[in-house]
């Protein structure tokens, strides 16, 4: 199959969260399964073109934007450790800015930037002679690829045999745009937009809704989240839209690129280790603590280390930590290491904690890929107390590193972490259900109580490391969805 992936993030070039990881690991896995890929993303100003050997071409693509034409120069490269072709769209006006989305509020012309990206992806594919069987868009940023396929390109023989797939990574971001501008940039007659139309919500264009309505198949990133978004407020106001497409909606659990996230070969951690050499994991903990300035005495004091790497947004359950974490740190029950960035109030909470307990609350505000690997390898436990979590990747990474996840049973966290049962020796982590600080504290206490009981500690780590959430499994599941979609359009 020929698969065109369009995404606002593709790791390692441009990544704000898990979307970037998945938009890279899936095409790599498709390639291993024998499929052909073209991956399209913007050439953002911050992308390190030298590090990734990205090359400019002399191909300029004309991009219809309503009644006029705009242009993108194509840059080409490959996804590291693969032969997957990546095409980056250069347009300095749109993409040569600080960051990807312009957080926290978003750039005011994100509608125009992402419509340009999406439309340019079709035209780049045509120019490169890549006639796709599948057009796979990710999240609201590129969701308008679905109506484009079904309206703008419906009579275009190059594209109209392709099936359109939309993957929802997060219902909380929907891309609400001004209707006049959107119809204009998409080159669509205003008759396509009216109250109750597939584009419309509350008088605006809702990109995610339009994507859901026009896609041949809609997927989301875990089975539990697929259920939650229809039946709970995780649907963020689009429950009815999802009900309307229920027959074509499926949860496909994300997978992990184990060529990148594997303690046996990870080049970013201090020392490689495997299930049968967990003593080396301890070495990673020591080195991380040294890097955070702790003394030998402190390093050897036997305190368990709880790691966390996260965007700091309301989704991630930080308000539960505000109510519970200090107790553990203050009473020397645990040491915490956090890497994250996001909303000021959450950053301030962690700054407060680290200022008050500099030896036991180790905090790095910012984004740092290499440190995220080191923390995953060095920690004893990994905390993901999310309010909601479409899938979550960090708990899956943690398990592979023998770092025991403490998670809330929501979305993909519920699908991937099983509470450890001391009687049966079954389970991979510690799980709480109610969104409350008390339930989180109880789960942390259960987790910590097993830390010093060596037989249990060995078994739960062994169980966690034995899990297989490979992106090859996810990719095969997507291929099945693609085949199902093609039956519909051909
Ligand atoms: P989300 O996509 O909601 O942020 P995921 O768990 O799916 O959550 O993916 C988050 C990804 O982003 C992981 O690869 C994680 O390691 C990475 N990440 C998050 N925050 C940081 C940070 N501050 N520095 C480095 N990597 C980060
Ligand atoms: C989103 C979700 C996260 C998921 C990621 C990749 O950012 O918040 O749960 O793992 O996308 O699908």
């Amino acid at each position: 199959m020929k698969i065109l992936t369009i995404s606002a993030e593709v790791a390692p070039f441009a990544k704000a969260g898990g979307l970037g990881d998945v938009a890279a690991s899936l095409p790599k896995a498709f390639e291993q399964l024998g499929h052909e890929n073209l991956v399209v993303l913007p050439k953002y100003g911050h992308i390190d073109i030298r590090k990734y050997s990205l090359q400019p071409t002399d191909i300029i693509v004309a991009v219809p934007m309503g009644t006029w034409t705009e242009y993108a120069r194509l840059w080409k490269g490959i996804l590291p450790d693969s032969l997957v072709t990546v095409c980056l769209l250069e347009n300095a006006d749109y993409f040569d800015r600080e960051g990807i989305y312009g957080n926290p509020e978003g750039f005011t012309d994100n509608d125009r930037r992402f419509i340009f990206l999406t439309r340019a992806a079709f035209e780049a594919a045509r120019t490169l002679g890549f006639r796709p069987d599948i057009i796979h868009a990710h999240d609201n940023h590129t969701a308008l690829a679905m109506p484009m396929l079904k309206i703008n390109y419906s009579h275009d023989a190059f594209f109209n045999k392709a099936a359109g797939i939309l993957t929802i990574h997060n219902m909380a971001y929907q891309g609400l745009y001004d209707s006049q501008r959107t119809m204009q940039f998409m080159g669509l007659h205003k008759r396509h937009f009216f109250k109750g139309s597939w584009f419309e919500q509350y008088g605006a264009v809702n990109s995610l809704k339009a994507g859901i309505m026009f896609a041949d198949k809609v997927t989301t990133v875990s089975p539990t989240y697929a259920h939650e978004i229809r039946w709970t407020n995780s649907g963020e106001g689009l429950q009815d839209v999802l009900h309307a497409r229920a027959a074509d909606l499926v949860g496909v659990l994300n997978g992990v690129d184990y060529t990148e996230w594997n303690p046996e070969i990870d080049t970013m951690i201090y020392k490689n280790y495997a299930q049968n050499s967990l003593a080396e994991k301890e070495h990673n903990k020591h080195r991380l603590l040294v890097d955070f300035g702790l003394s030998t005495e402190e390093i050897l004091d036997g305190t368990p280390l709880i790691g966390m790497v996260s965007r700091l947004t309301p989704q991630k359950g930080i308000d539960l930590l505000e109510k519970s974490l200090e107790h553990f740190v203050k009473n020397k029950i645990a040491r915490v290491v956090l890497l994250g960035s996001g909303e000021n109030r959450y950053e301030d909470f962690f700054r407060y904690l680290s200022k008050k307990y500099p030896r036991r609350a180790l905090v790095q505000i910012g984004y740092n890929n290499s440190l995220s690997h080191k923390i995953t390898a060095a920690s004893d436990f990994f905390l993901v107390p999310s309010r909601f979590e479409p899938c979550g990747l960090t708990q899956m990474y943690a398990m592979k590193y023998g770092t025991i996840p403490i998670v809330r049973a929501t979305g993909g966290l519920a699908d991937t972490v099983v509470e450890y049962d001391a009687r049966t020796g079954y389970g991979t982590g510690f799980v709480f259900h109610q969104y409350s600080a008390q339930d989180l504290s109880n789960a942390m206490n259960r987790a910590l109580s097993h830390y010093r009981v060596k037989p249990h500690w060995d078994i739960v780590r062994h169980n966690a490391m034995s899990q297989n959430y490979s992106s090859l499994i996810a990719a095969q599941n997507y291929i099945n969805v693609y085949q199902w979609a093609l039956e519909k359009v051909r």
Side-chain angles (χ1 to χ4, degrees):
M1 263 188 235
K2 285 186 148 180
I3 304 155
L4 171 62
T5 297
I6 318 174
S7 177
E9 297 178 32
V10 178
F13 313 117
K15 162 173 159 181
L19 168 62
D21 289 336
V22 174
S25 64
L26 270 183
K28 279 174 75 173
F30 290 147
E31 179 184 62
Q32 285 191 45
L33 296 175
H35 302 282
E36 239 183 287
N37 294 277
L38 178 63
V39 178
V40 180
L41 78 157
K43 185 185 165 296
Y44 298 107
H46 70 266
I47 295 179
D48 191 337
I49 51 175
R50 281 211 194 90
K51 181 167 176 194
Y52 303 118
S53 307
L54 303 173
Q55 301 291 337
T57 70
D58 50 16
I59 306 170
I60 309 277
V61 175
V63 185
M65 288 287 280
T67 50
W68 65 94
T69 302
E70 295 180 347
Y71 298 90
R73 173 196 286 271
L74 302 192
W75 285 60
K76 276 175 112 176
I78 51 165
L79 286 176
D81 304 320
S82 80
L83 294 174
V84 174
T85 307
V86 182
C87 172
L88 299 99
L89 303 167
E90 178 185 345
N91 180 308
D93 248 16
Y94 287 135
F95 302 127
D96 201 357
R97 306 183 188 178
E98 175 88 24
I100 298 176
Y101 304 114
N103 288 331
E105 275 93 30
F107 296 120
T108 52
D109 60 349
N110 272 351
D111 51 357
R112 192 167 164 171
R113 296 171 77 225
F114 290 124
I115 290 171
F116 178 84
L117 159 66
T118 309
R119 192 72 196 257
F122 282 85
E123 294 306 320
R126 189 205 304 282
T127 308
L128 296 171
F130 188 91
R131 186 177 177 182
D133 298 299
I134 298 295
I135 298 178
H136 193 160
H138 293 266
D139 268 353
N140 76 81
H141 330 106
T142 54
L144 291 175
M146 301 296 109
M148 275 180 199
L149 176 62
K150 300 298 178 188
I151 307 175
N152 305 72
Y153 291 99
S154 64
H155 299 294
D156 187 322
F158 198 80
F159 292 108
N160 66 8
K161 295 277 184 306
I165 312 291
L166 172 71
T167 294
I168 303 167
H169 295 260
N170 200 329
M171 290 295 301
Y173 306 98
Q174 299 183 0
L176 292 175
Y177 299 155
D178 176 79
S179 64
Q180 249 184 324
R181 280 169 61 93
T182 307
M183 291 298 127
Q184 190 187 13
F185 299 145
M186 285 186 73
L188 294 179
H189 193 274
K190 58 178 191 275
R191 74 182 152 78
H192 287 285
F193 183 85
F194 53 88
K195 188 163 170 47
S197 81
W198 286 6
F199 286 95
E200 191 266 352
Q201 192 196 29
Y202 310 131
V205 166
N206 182 317
S207 319
L208 196 62
K209 172 182 170 178
I212 292 167
M213 292 310 297
F214 282 95
D216 291 303
K217 297 291 170 195
V218 179
T219 75
T220 187
V221 289
S222 70
T224 294
Y225 194 61
H227 179 85
E228 288 170 349
I229 58 179
R230 287 183 62 204
W231 302 107
T232 73
N233 58 11
S234 284
E236 303 278 352
L238 289 184
Q239 288 92 324
D240 286 349
V241 176
L242 293 161
H243 285 321
R245 295 306 316 274
D248 295 303
L249 170 68
V250 54
V252 177
L253 190 71
N254 280 337
V256 176
D257 180 352
Y258 286 131
T259 63
E260 194 198 341
W261 290 95
N262 176 353
E264 294 182 41
I265 53 171
D266 190 333
T267 53
M268 285 180 254
I269 65 177
Y270 301 101
K271 186 133 203 213
N272 293 119
Y273 60 92
Q275 270 197 49
N276 58 10
S277 58
L278 277 168
E280 309 289 3
K281 179 171 166 58
E282 202 61 15
H283 187 82
N284 282 278
K285 180 173 170 181
H286 292 185
R287 289 283 301 278
L288 185 81
L289 297 180
V290 169
D291 281 359
F292 272 94
L294 269 60
S295 68
T296 309
E297 196 186 327
E298 285 166 329
I299 290 167
L300 298 176
D301 69 4
T303 309
L305 182 64
I306 303 180
M308 185 168 181
V309 178
S310 183
R311 294 184 295 117
L312 301 178
T313 63
Q315 169 186 345
K316 299 296 179 180
I318 315 298
D319 48 335
L320 296 187
L321 298 178
E322 286 173 340
K323 295 185 200 130
S324 56
L325 204 54
E326 186 164 355
H327 161 79
F328 291 90
V329 176
K330 181 173 156 192
N331 295 307
K332 305 186 180 176
I333 304 168
R335 194 168 264 125
V336 176
V337 55
L338 167 107
L339 167 65
S341 66
E343 292 190 13
N344 288 339
R345 57 188 164 141
Y346 300 135
E347 291 186 356
D348 287 346
F349 163 66
F350 284 110
R351 285 198 190 99
Y352 153 83
L353 212 59
S354 77
K355 196 151 185 231
K356 196 157 169 195
Y357 309 99
R359 321 307 295 174
R360 291 192 298 282
L362 316 174
V363 171
Q364 175 91 38
I365 300 296
Y367 185 92
N368 184 331
N369 186 44
S370 148
L371 183 58
S372 78
H373 284 248
K374 291 183 173 71
I375 290 176
T376 306
S379 303
D380 298 304
F381 297 96
F382 203 91
L383 201 50
V384 195
S386 306
R387 181 186 290 274
F388 68 93
E389 196 60 73
C391 179
L393 296 170
T394 57
Q395 82 282 5
M396 293 196 263
Y397 300 156
M399 284 190 269
K400 192 71 188 171
Y401 287 70
T403 303
I404 300 307
I406 302 170
V407 306
R408 177 157 178 267
T410 178
L413 298 171
D415 292 335
T416 53
V417 182
V418 177
E419 169 87 14
Y420 179 68
D421 183 336
R423 288 164 308 170
T424 59
Y426 185 75
T428 51
F430 297 89
V431 182
F432 66 104
H433 293 263
Q434 291 302 318
Y435 189 75
S436 81
Q438 189 55 55
D439 276 31
L440 166 60
S441 296
N442 292 345
M444 287 174 62
N445 282 324
R446 286 200 305 279
L448 293 164
S449 73
H450 287 92
Y451 177 68
R452 287 180 218 286
V453 187
K454 191 152 172 20
H456 288 311
W457 188 232
D458 284 346
I459 294 170
V460 69
R461 291 203 291 180
H462 174 81
N463 293 350
M465 292 180 91
S466 306
Q467 300 305 303
N468 181 3
Y469 291 110
S470 168
S471 51
L472 286 166
I473 299 171
Q476 186 54 57
N477 290 332
Y478 274 104
I479 296 295
N480 296 344
V481 174
Y482 292 168
Q483 266 152 359
W484 182 33
L486 284 171
E487 281 169 22
K488 191 173 157 191
V489 296
R490 289 187 178 164

